[in-house]
Amino acid sequence: MKHLFVLDPIEQINPAKDSSAALMQATHRACIEVWICTPSDLQARGDKAWVVTSPIIPEPWIDVGVPQSKPLTDFSCIWMRKDPPVDEAFLYATHLLEVAERDGVVILNKPASLRAWNEKLGALRFSKLMAPTLVASRVVELADFAGSQGEVVVKPLGGKGGQGVIRVAKKAPGLEALLELMTDQERLPVMMQLFLPKVIEGDKRILLVDGEPLGAVNRRPRPGDFRSNLALGGQAEATKLSVREQQICNELAPALKDQGLFFVGIDVIGGMLSEINVTSPTGIREVERLMAIPLADQVISRLLARFA
């Protein structure tokens, strides 16, 4: 059995922190061949998808073999783990992966769902679980919403890791000018949400595998910031799911399973759903370290059970 991981360049991956590294090492421990490529290595020859790919031994990190050209049907499973942004190159890669999917290859997560579930907008399917939210381009509507809520956060729809997320009060000087900048003069929509003060207590990352929560960590913002993303200095700590958080997971599970979203990371603040991360969810290493859970091995075990 062979698994292919579609990634950013391997030299950019920090094995001590990266969830993709954890998944590749768990795959190797399950006696499955691990191969890697970048999105630019994917290609189509007529109605068949191919790839220029290298075999790797990920433990100890890392032994990379000689690149080879292979049909994607040589792989029983392909993990699409390219980090955002979801740009043209990312979208074209999902279309090429769909060629292999039509030939019976399992793609995780499902290419069509990677396109359809923007990590901010996908959560709107469950808006009743979220804080009051507006997605818009028009400055007047955004400013009015900010005025009605008092204090809000504004998020670019294509951002990752908390980058570009700002917190503003309704009476902030220059609010309209700021919104003009963030919307690129009303060309691009942004997400505006009621600011949740409980974010100071943490933003919980919950990892769901085939719809079931298998691990979670709480991420506290660094002093002086409200963004809890680990890439921005947030601190991870051990946690357990509350009743409310389990209810959120239960509500999401049927849709995630139906849409082929096998490995997903959701963010919950003060009992409110914030985001549904489907492209390359992170958090495995933190769960394993803080919760003493062999999460990556559990993910691969669940996957192999599906094949069985």
Side-chain angles (χ1 to χ4, degrees):
M1 184 179 289
K2 301 183 183 73
H3 285 194
L4 174 66
F5 286 78
V6 184
L7 307 159
D8 290 297
I10 196 69
E11 58 271 15
Q12 297 179 13
I13 290 178
N14 180 350
K17 297 182 177 181
D18 196 280
S19 292
S20 293
L23 290 168
M24 290 188 287
Q25 290 173 341
T27 301
H28 176 71
R29 289 193 292 270
C31 299
I32 300 169
E33 290 184 29
V34 180
W35 295 67
I36 60 170
C37 74
T38 65
S40 61
D41 294 318
L42 298 169
Q43 53 189 254
R45 302 179 185 180
D47 64 348
K48 301 298 179 184
W50 285 66
V51 65
V52 177
T53 176
S54 299
I56 68 166
I57 298 175
E59 275 186 316
W61 192 263
I62 186 174
D63 182 9
V64 181
V66 177
Q68 302 175 38
S69 183
K70 287 184 170 291
L72 288 186
T73 50
D74 273 13
F75 302 95
S76 55
C77 177
I78 300 174
W79 289 84
M80 179 51 165
R81 292 282 304 174
K82 170 71 175 69
D83 283 343
V86 179
D87 53 14
E88 281 188 280
F90 187 102
L91 294 174
Y92 292 146
T94 66
H95 287 292
L96 290 170
L97 290 171
E98 276 184 321
V99 177
E101 188 178 46
R102 290 195 292 269
D103 284 333
V105 181
V106 174
I107 314 293
L108 304 174
N109 287 317
K110 187 176 179 65
S113 295
L114 289 176
R115 294 193 298 270
W117 288 64
N118 173 276
E119 303 196 334
K120 307 290 191 301
L121 297 178
L124 294 177
R125 301 164 190 250
F126 308 94
S127 60
K128 67 181 182 180
L129 304 176
M130 301 172 68
T133 300
L134 172 69
V135 178
S137 305
R138 301 299 183 192
V139 168
V140 170
E141 281 84 357
L142 290 164
D144 285 347
F145 182 82
S148 70
Q149 300 301 319
E151 192 168 13
V152 296
V153 293
V154 188
K155 304 177 181 180
L157 297 182
K160 66 170 184 175
Q163 296 173 354
V165 178
I166 63 170
R167 170 184 172 185
V168 293
K170 64 179 180 180
K171 295 183 179 180
L175 174 60
E176 293 189 358
L178 177 63
L179 293 173
E180 289 169 0
L181 181 63
M182 292 196 71
T183 62
D184 192 15
Q185 302 299 320
E186 301 188 329
R187 289 182 57 253
L188 296 174
V190 295
M191 174 175 280
M192 182 178 281
Q193 291 180 305
L194 173 68
F195 173 70
L196 299 173
K198 282 187 173 292
V199 72
I200 304 304
E201 300 173 10
D203 174 352
K204 196 167 291 189
R205 165 57 58 90
I206 305 170
L207 293 171
L208 294 95
V209 179
D210 208 18
E212 182 178 347
L214 292 190
V217 291
N218 193 48
R219 304 171 298 179
R220 286 187 182 269
R222 65 180 179 180
D225 201 346
F226 70 96
R227 297 171 299 175
S228 57
N229 307 78
L230 301 181
L232 297 176
Q235 296 298 311
E237 58 187 25
T239 190
K240 295 181 179 179
L241 295 190
S242 68
V243 172
R244 167 67 173 174
E245 289 158 352
Q246 184 64 60
Q247 290 172 342
I248 291 173
C249 293
N250 293 344
E251 183 104 8
L252 268 56
L256 298 180
K257 294 175 71 171
D258 179 67
Q259 295 292 309
L261 294 168
F262 177 77
F263 185 63
V264 171
I266 68 170
D267 297 335
V268 179
I269 301 170
M272 294 285 190
L273 178 66
S274 174
E275 294 185 13
I276 302 176
N277 299 276
V278 302
T279 50
S280 57
T282 61
I284 289 180
R285 292 299 198 199
E286 290 75 21
V287 170
E288 291 181 333
R289 175 171 56 86
L290 294 168
M291 306 299 292
I293 297 172
L295 182 57
D297 294 289
Q298 291 179 1
V299 173
I300 300 304
S301 177
R302 292 292 182 99
L303 178 59
L304 294 178
R306 280 185 51 175
F307 283 121

